[in-house]
Amino acid sequence: MTVYIALTDAGLPAITHPQMRSEFSSPAAAHRWFDDYVNSRINRGSGSRTGIKGGSASAVMQIYRHRYDEVPIARLRVADNPNGTRRVINEAEGDRIDKGAAAAKAGGVDIGAVVDGYREALLAMQPDYTGLACTCARVNPFDHAAPMSRRLTVEDMAGELVTRIWANLRYAIGRHPLAARLYVAAVGSRTLGWDLYADQVHKWCGFRWRTGAGELHAYMVRLSHSIPVVHVIERNGVLIDSTSVRRSKQ
C-alpha cells in the first residue's frame, strides 16, 4: 500500500502543500526510513542512505494513505535511548519501552529495588582511589584499592546520577521484560540489579553464576548490554557520573 509522509524537523523546510509529501511503498518502509533518518547522525556521521543529514530528537513524521488526505493514518515521534541511539514511537501504539516496563512490573519486577541493588553493587565493585599514590616501582597501590563501599554509601550519590541509573534500568527492563520477570521470580529484584552491574563489569560471574550458560543467561546478557555501564567519581563527598564530567570537558 503506497503511503505519503510529511516530515517536520528543525532545519528542514516546512511542508506547506500536500504535493511536497514524499511517497513510500508501504507504512513499514516509511517507518524504516524514519528510523534511519533519526539515527543516521549518531551511527553513520553526518549522512546516511536517506541522502540527507540525520534528524533531531524533535523530528515528527506523519503518514497519509493518500497524498491529499487531511488526516494522517499514523504519527511517529522520537525518544532518546540510554545507549546513544533513538527509537521511533508510533503515537497510536505507544512506547514499547513503557509497555515492557509496565508488563515487567505487573509480573513482579520492582524497578526501585533493581536500582537499589545496582547502586549497592556499583559501590562494592568500583575501587576507591582516594588518597592513594604510587610510591614503589614494584607495588602499585591502585591494584589493591578498597571498594567505595568501605567509605561511602548509596546516600552519597548525586540525584542526577540516581536518575540516570533509574532511566537506564527501566529502559533495559522495558526492552527485555520477560527475561527480567523470569530472573526476578528466581532471585528477586534487588539481586537482579546487583547481578546486572556485576555482569557489566565482569565481576563475580554476574548472571552465569546463577543461571548457568542456558537460554536465560543469554537473555540476561542482552539485557545488561543494552545499556551503558555507569562509572562514578567523587566530588566534595558526592558521587557523580564520570561520563558527564568527561562530556563537560570536551
Side-chain angles (χ1 to χ4, degrees):
M1 178 183 71
T2 302
V3 296
Y4 300 85
I5 69 139
L7 176 66
T8 303
D9 197 5
L12 292 182
I15 303 297
T16 56
H17 192 278
Q19 194 66 36
M20 300 172 67
R21 295 172 182 170
S22 300
E23 180 179 331
F24 284 86
S25 60
S26 67
H31 190 288
R32 288 192 298 271
W33 182 91
F34 188 54
D35 184 270
D36 182 76
Y37 169 74
V38 298
N39 280 289
S40 59
R41 179 177 296 164
I42 299 168
N43 295 335
R44 305 178 186 84
S46 60
S48 74
R49 68 172 183 268
T50 61
I52 54 180
K53 291 184 178 181
S56 72
S58 61
V60 174
M61 186 173 78
Q62 299 189 108
I63 302 177
Y64 297 84
R65 188 180 302 276
H66 304 288
R67 187 185 294 276
Y68 292 94
D69 283 353
E70 294 185 4
V71 180
I73 59 174
R75 176 182 166 90
L76 309 182
R77 60 181 175 85
V78 183
D80 289 324
N81 298 324
N83 59 10
T85 62
R86 295 183 178 127
R87 65 186 181 275
V88 174
I89 300 172
N90 186 322
E91 291 187 348
E93 299 173 357
D95 187 352
R96 68 181 186 275
I97 299 300
D98 291 343
K99 290 182 176 179
K105 181 178 180 181
V109 179
D110 182 345
I111 295 182
V114 177
V115 171
D116 290 341
Y118 190 96
R119 294 166 68 192
E120 291 165 358
L122 188 156
L123 289 180
M125 299 179 199
Q126 185 160 326
D128 183 4
Y129 298 126
T130 303
L132 294 181
C134 187
T135 58
C136 175
R138 295 182 179 180
V139 180
N140 186 349
F142 295 99
D143 293 336
H144 306 282
M148 283 189 166
S149 57
R150 295 281 184 91
R151 191 171 56 86
L152 300 163
T153 71
V154 294
E155 300 303 322
D156 296 311
M157 292 184 174
E160 295 83 356
L161 172 63
V162 178
T163 298
R164 185 193 173 207
I165 292 173
W166 185 90
N168 286 359
L169 296 179
R170 185 180 183 278
Y171 171 80
I173 291 169
R175 189 172 175 181
H176 303 280
L178 179 58
R181 289 166 58 186
L182 292 173
Y183 202 77
V184 165
V187 301
S189 295
R190 203 180 199 97
T191 303
L192 167 59
W194 179 283
D195 289 352
L196 198 158
Y197 185 82
D199 188 84
Q200 287 187 315
V201 297
H202 310 294
K203 292 280 187 74
W204 304 343
C205 302
F207 300 123
R208 184 179 295 274
W209 179 60
R210 299 187 192 276
T211 63
E215 187 175 11
L216 180 56
H217 169 259
Y219 278 125
M220 298 311 296
V221 170
R222 289 181 204 167
L223 188 152
S224 72
H225 290 177
S226 66
I227 56 174
V229 62
V230 173
H231 296 288
V232 299
I233 58 175
E234 184 183 355
R235 286 288 186 271
N236 301 319
V238 177
L239 291 170
I240 61 175
D241 182 0
S242 62
T243 58
S244 65
V245 175
R246 289 196 296 270
R247 284 196 297 267
S248 67
K249 292 181 178 180
Q250 293 176 351

